[in-house]
Amino acid sequence: MESETEGRRDGVWAQPYHLASGQTQYHQLGQVRLWVTLLDQEWQVRSQTMEPDTDPVTWTETIGHTLPSSEVTLQRFIRSGDSGTVTFIPAVAALPTVIRPYQSLTIPADGRCVIYVGTVLWMKICVGEAQTLLTEVPLGIPSLTWVGGNTMEGELCYSSSSYARLVLEAVPKRPWRAVTPVTIVNRREEPLLLERFSLPTPLLSLHLNERGQVWTPGVTVECETDMNSASLRVEQSLLAAAGTCRRVGPARENIARGRLVRAFDRMFG
């Protein structure tokens, strides 16, 4: 009989998996260990977030009958119907994400650059043909920050440090992270020091290419000379370098075509 270790396969987004009653599917990806169990009357989901002491590069899954210790948090969900299908849908963060480059970047007057940003995904656990949502699991440890002029005006965001890579080939591709190309245009008559910026993650859809990498459409930010506002636009298409993609996750929030305008100190600071 094939052991569960030998039965490990690469996990795949938006692909239905079928479980028989009594079986558990175990996933290892990013900082998360996940167990999804099907019983006669219920679904069970167990998850464990590990300390980020390693940088794993793969997502593996296996189906068997092994459960973790009782110390791992358990969620139970009533099973409706007789379907044993479970599908894992990627989702962007529900809050904007403040990106902080490890080293600040200066953009010359009337200059532009493209930086490639990776953000952690959430995993939606969906069951049945209708893909009914059971729960969501963050695939990393999100940290919160406040962005605004004071404690009364602003918004709560996630915070993420980034190498703000300028070369696409240098960006690590991880199944639990989405790559977003961010074009920053400095239309001012003086250099722009980029120390942080807010990425509108809830407005981004998710797309899977043939190499199992998740991409979002690009974002373009234009800084005007008056420094009072920054104009932000979510592009309608993917970067050609993403390759052939299929959409696997919708944006959490829909926007009308065209531009968004946000206060400068909300975008940069």
Side-chain angles (χ1 to χ4, degrees), residues 13-144:
W13 290 115
Q15 170 184 289
Y17 293 96
H18 184 79
L19 303 182
S21 182
Q23 286 187 323
T24 293
Q25 187 177 33
Y26 170 59
H27 297 262
Q28 285 184 275
L29 72 163
Q31 299 169 20
V32 168
R33 307 293 179 266
L34 177 75
W35 296 261
V36 178
T37 301
L38 176 65
L39 299 177
D40 288 346
Q41 302 295 327
E42 66 183 277
W43 288 93
Q44 295 184 348
V45 176
R46 297 169 173 86
S47 63
Q48 183 178 44
T49 302
M50 314 298 289
E51 290 297 325
D53 54 352
T54 60
D55 186 23
V57 299
T58 59
W59 168 12
T60 59
E61 63 85 12
T62 184
I63 295 177
H65 296 85
T66 302
L67 292 175
S69 70
S70 59
E71 297 176 357
V72 176
T73 302
L74 167 65
Q75 298 180 76
R76 302 173 63 199
F77 304 90
I78 295 298
R79 178 182 177 185
S80 58
D82 57 2
S83 174
T85 298
V86 58
T87 307
F88 303 95
I89 304 296
V92 292
L95 299 174
T97 302
V98 176
I99 307 298
R100 304 176 189 270
Y102 286 114
Q103 292 86 29
S104 58
L105 190 66
T106 299
I107 304 171
D110 203 29
R112 68 166 56 209
C113 71
V114 179
I115 62 177
Y116 298 94
V117 175
T119 52
V120 172
L121 297 171
W122 269 244
M123 172 185 274
K124 290 185 174 183
I125 302 171
C126 303
V127 297
E129 293 183 3
Q131 296 187 359
T132 302
L133 177 65
L134 296 184
T135 187
E136 294 185 23
V137 177
L139 300 179
I141 303 175
S143 57
L144 292 170

